[in-house]
Amino acid sequence: MPTRPTRAVDSAVPLLLDRRDAWMEVTLNRPERLNALDATLHGELAAALDMAAADDCRAVLITGAGRGFCAGQDLAARAFGDQPPDLGASLEAHYNPLIRRIRALRKPVICAVNGVAAGAGASIALACDIVLAARSAKFIQSFARIGLVPDSGGTFFLPRLIGDARARALMLLAEPLPAETAAEWGLIWKVVDDAALMDTARTMAAHLATQPTQGLALMKDAFDASPGNSLDDQLDLERDLQRAAGRTPDYREGVSAFMEKRPARFTGQPA
Ligand code: T3D
């Protein structure tokens, strides 16, 4: 599939898209606003994720430029006239499709949280498959500070990841959660020293891009369905997903490689 050419780092463009060997790096690039999201950045991000979905890249890495990952909605873009803005319309038009796009990707999505992740910025990170965070990063459910409710899937992801008690307190108090505590609580995969974050994340993306992509996508299906399923439902789903995985060329290659005592060369191709 055609890909957009790699962009050089340029503070004039709100999103950087970098196609590496077999994976794609997406960088939110409004560092002066801690990568807060306005309509333009939403549009660019939607286009980038659509491109990543259509492209034959086999992993996606999302990160932010500068000292923040993402401060959620750009509050400077919220003008108050006689009527309050329709934030439901904003969620419908921008945030909900964004989270759905991330979750629908048929390839692993890594988030490298390079700094503060606030409001919807935190939810974006939690929507990704694997979250790495710089040791100095923090997660803030900042909605209560401005009279809003958590959105972008925050009330779905947070209690499932860390339990109701911690999720409620984080959201009602809007206290920052340091990255190390986030990892201890199971909110994210790992904390990495700040200087090592991007190398670690890129190494992981490059590794995942060599793995059995179809099987990984099916695995994501199983995790997505799990919270709403009974054990019986999940066993049935695993049966169906395993049937599909067993038909992929990568399964054949994985078994051959094992029997021949050599590294597998997965192609990520569908059955
Ligand atoms: O509206 C809808 O469509 C509904 C959807 C809502 C989704 C949401 O995400 S609502 C939540 C919106 N986000 C926030 O409320 C977070 C606001 N930001 C902060 O609370 C703090 O900036 C942080 C805790 C994230 C970081 O604090 P700190 O002290 O490290 O940085 P700072 O000095 O506050 O911010 C640095 C600059 O970024 C500053 O600009 P300046 O003064 O240097 O010119 C600040 O204004 C700007 N900035 C940070 N966050 C935002 C922002 N500008 C616009 N919108 C932001 N969200």
Side-chain angles (χ1 to χ4, degrees):
M1 296 291 292
T3 61
R4 185 148 55 163
T6 297
R7 280 176 171 176
V9 171
D10 178 350
S11 61
V13 288
L15 192 86
L16 306 172
L17 198 53
D18 191 357
R19 176 67 148 84
R20 306 285 177 125
D21 287 345
W23 55 279
M24 202 173 269
E25 185 168 308
V26 178
T27 306
L28 309 177
N29 189 39
R30 303 185 71 215
E32 69 290 351
R33 294 261 167 102
L34 302 181
N35 303 314
L37 295 146
D38 61 4
T40 307
L41 179 51
H42 268 295
E44 293 260 323
L45 196 45
L49 293 171
D50 286 349
M51 190 174 300
D55 188 90
D56 61 3
C57 72
R58 293 167 64 189
V60 176
L61 170 58
I62 300 176
T63 191
R67 74 174 178 89
F69 169 66
C70 177
Q73 168 63 35
D74 185 336
L75 298 176
R78 286 284 162 262
F80 286 88
D82 291 344
Q83 297 294 321
D86 182 350
L87 301 189
S90 168
L91 297 194
E92 193 68 30
H94 297 300
Y95 288 93
N96 292 354
L98 167 59
I99 299 303
R100 290 186 175 117
R101 275 188 171 89
I102 293 172
R103 298 294 278 190
L105 282 171
R106 307 295 296 160
K107 44 199 88 181
V109 186
I110 302 163
C111 186
V113 181
N114 52 298
V116 64
S123 302
I124 291 168
L126 300 184
C128 297
D129 294 307
I130 301 179
V131 186
L132 293 167
R135 203 168 296 283
S136 67
K138 53 191 174 180
F139 296 81
I140 312 179
Q141 297 295 324
S142 51
F143 304 93
R145 293 185 182 179
I146 56 168
L148 293 185
V149 297
D151 59 29
S152 307
T155 57
F156 180 89
F157 298 123
L158 213 64
R160 283 172 170 77
L161 289 165
I162 60 173
D164 189 85
R166 284 171 165 165
R168 273 182 201 244
L170 281 180
M171 288 175 160
L172 295 177
L173 297 170
E175 281 184 9
L177 185 71
E180 287 189 347
T181 313
E184 280 164 25
W185 286 6
L187 187 72
I188 63 171
W189 168 234
K190 266 184 190 170
V191 170
V192 180
D193 286 341
D194 289 23
L197 178 70
M198 290 315 297
D199 277 354
T200 306
R202 288 170 180 148
T203 301
M204 183 184 283
H207 165 74
L208 285 167
T210 66
Q211 295 304 292
T213 312
Q214 303 297 326
L216 300 187
L218 294 166
M219 208 180 280
K220 288 171 53 155
D221 292 340
F223 276 102
D224 287 347
S226 177
N229 268 352
S230 65
L231 175 59
D232 273 341
D233 292 337
Q234 196 68 9
L235 288 171
D236 287 349
L237 177 65
E238 289 175 357
R239 174 203 60 212
D240 296 342
L241 297 175
Q242 197 71 297
R243 181 173 288 137
R247 290 175 176 149
T248 61
D250 281 342
Y251 170 60
R252 179 182 290 264
E253 165 61 9
V255 174
S256 302
F258 176 79
M259 297 307 292
E260 294 161 19
K261 300 190 186 303
R262 62 170 174 80
R265 292 180 294 269
F266 296 118
T267 63
Q269 291 304 303

